[in-house]
Amino acid sequence: MNSNPKISVIVPVYNTEKYLESSLRSIMDQTYTNLEIICVNDGSTDNSLEVLKKLQQEDGRIIIIDKENEGQGISRNKGMEKATGEWISFIDSDDTLELDAYERIAANISDEVDMVHFGIQMLYEEGKLKIKTDNEYYDIKYEGLTDVPRSKIHKIDGSASNKLFKKSIIDKYCIRFKKILYEDFQFSMQYISVIDRIFYMPDKLYNYLRRGGSTMTSTFQHSPRAIDHLYALEAVIDFIIKNNRLEGHKRSLRKLFMSYYGASIKYSTEDMIPQIVKKSEEMYERYTFLHDKVVKKFENNT
């Protein structure tokens, strides 16, 4: 294993000029320098592209992809197509890293490691209420090199930003982000389902800014796209079945199905609830392994 592996840092950018320079400088100023920084401007209508061009003049490692607006997941896919690193990292353009983050992460990379999972520090924009479940959700449940807990992957958070992914595995299984709202969960769980070992670091190396208008903020509001919880889970289940990994993951997938059905109902607009119920019934009938220990009781109400 290369002791100084190249890490491709992919940063999707959409109208974040207020935060963008701080975010990128936290990458540019890393003590670990073997990085390529791929910034994908997703049709920003503010001055984000100008900020990218200015910083590119300072740091030749910055690569800019400028394209029409297609969403964060597609932007990340474009970045992966361009990436030449052995490892892939996804950073949101309003978040930051501790300046020694990649140095500490890279120190734990070895031939045995398929993914590095590190901690998140939650930051809240002024006026933004703290969400009580944040720290519990992002809590690192294990430490050091650990076999993937196949019956417990539902306990691993679905963020893509606090994980380092091996590009060869991404390419082998053609793992890409789908154009849905909860694409982080879909990508991370697909990846985790086909690997063997994760190196867990409790160190909080990623600073996650919870702000108004972000994807995760909208998760906790009534949204017509809450049904995307189910579409994301469907993509994960189909991927696991396709790659003959179902047997080890049935328990976790049952728990995720119940959890994501509940989240879809809880955070949805009322007019979308019949569609959520219908989608849940379709999935229950199609994935027969759900019948064991999952009681069919879908209700058209909140």
Side-chain angles (χ1 to χ4, degrees), residues 108-301:
N108 294 310
I109 292 174
S110 71
D111 287 328
E112 295 180 295
V113 175
D114 298 319
M115 186 181 87
V116 182
H117 185 190
F118 45 94
I120 282 180
Q121 176 68 43
M122 296 301 303
L123 304 176
Y124 297 86
E125 198 167 45
E126 186 176 353
K128 185 74 181 71
L129 293 176
K130 293 184 178 181
I131 298 171
K132 294 181 180 179
T133 56
D134 274 343
N135 288 331
E136 180 182 351
Y137 180 70
Y138 291 112
D139 182 47
I140 301 295
K141 308 297 192 296
Y142 307 93
E143 187 168 351
L145 186 62
T146 305
D147 289 343
V148 174
R150 304 215 179 276
S151 64
K152 297 181 180 180
I153 63 168
H154 59 282
K155 294 187 175 183
I156 302 174
D157 70 75
S159 174
S161 296
N162 62 342
K163 300 172 179 67
L164 198 71
F165 302 92
K166 190 177 289 185
K167 188 173 187 295
S168 60
I169 293 175
I170 291 173
D171 292 343
K172 177 181 177 180
Y173 292 97
C174 299
I175 305 173
R176 294 293 184 269
F177 291 91
K178 293 182 70 67
K179 196 172 183 179
I180 51 179
L181 195 59
Y182 306 108
E183 75 276 11
D184 270 43
F185 165 83
Q186 164 257 312
F187 182 94
S188 297
M189 289 300 150
Q190 287 181 349
Y191 185 93
I192 291 168
S193 74
V194 294
I195 63 174
D196 296 315
R197 288 168 295 276
I198 300 173
F199 195 98
Y200 291 93
M201 299 175 63
D203 318 56
K204 294 185 177 182
L205 304 178
Y206 189 94
N207 301 310
Y208 182 175
L209 179 64
R210 188 76 88 173
R211 63 182 180 88
S214 68
T215 299
M216 287 309 297
T217 295
S218 66
T219 294
F220 300 101
Q221 300 171 350
H222 290 293
S223 167
R225 295 193 62 186
I227 194 172
D228 280 17
H229 283 96
L230 294 174
Y231 290 130
L233 180 58
E234 180 178 50
V236 171
I237 296 175
D238 287 344
F239 178 87
I240 288 174
I241 291 173
K242 176 183 175 182
N243 288 285
N244 299 313
R245 300 279 180 143
L246 181 60
E247 198 57 40
H249 294 294
K250 287 180 179 179
R251 180 174 179 269
S252 277
L253 292 175
R254 291 185 192 110
K255 288 183 177 292
L256 286 167
F257 177 70
M258 291 186 287
S259 174
Y260 270 39
Y261 168 72
S264 297
I265 292 289
K266 182 176 181 179
Y267 300 118
S268 180
T269 53
E270 189 171 351
D271 63 300
M272 284 295 296
I273 291 177
Q275 291 188 44
I276 292 170
V277 171
K278 181 180 179 182
K279 183 64 182 175
S280 300
E281 290 177 334
E282 289 175 353
M283 291 175 67
Y284 187 85
E285 294 306 320
R286 182 148 53 96
Y287 304 126
T288 55
F289 72 90
L290 293 176
H291 299 176
D292 184 19
K293 299 182 181 179
V294 177
V295 178
K296 183 180 178 182
K297 187 180 179 183
F298 306 116
E299 297 182 0
N300 191 357
N301 59 59

Side-chain angles (χ1 to χ4, degrees), residues 9-11 13 19-30 37-39 48 51-53 55-56 59 61-62 64 91-97 99:
V9 186
I10 298 172
V11 186
V13 178
Y19 316 94
L20 183 55
E21 183 163 349
S22 294
S23 179
L24 284 183
R25 288 199 183 280
S26 79
I27 303 169
M28 295 161 61
D29 296 342
Q30 286 288 308
I37 307 167
I38 304 173
C39 301
S48 293
V51 174
L52 293 177
K53 289 178 178 178
L55 295 177
Q56 188 182 47
D59 194 326
R61 295 174 299 173
I62 293 179
I64 299 173
I91 306 298
D92 289 347
S93 60
D94 50 0
D95 298 335
T96 59
L97 290 165
L99 295 183

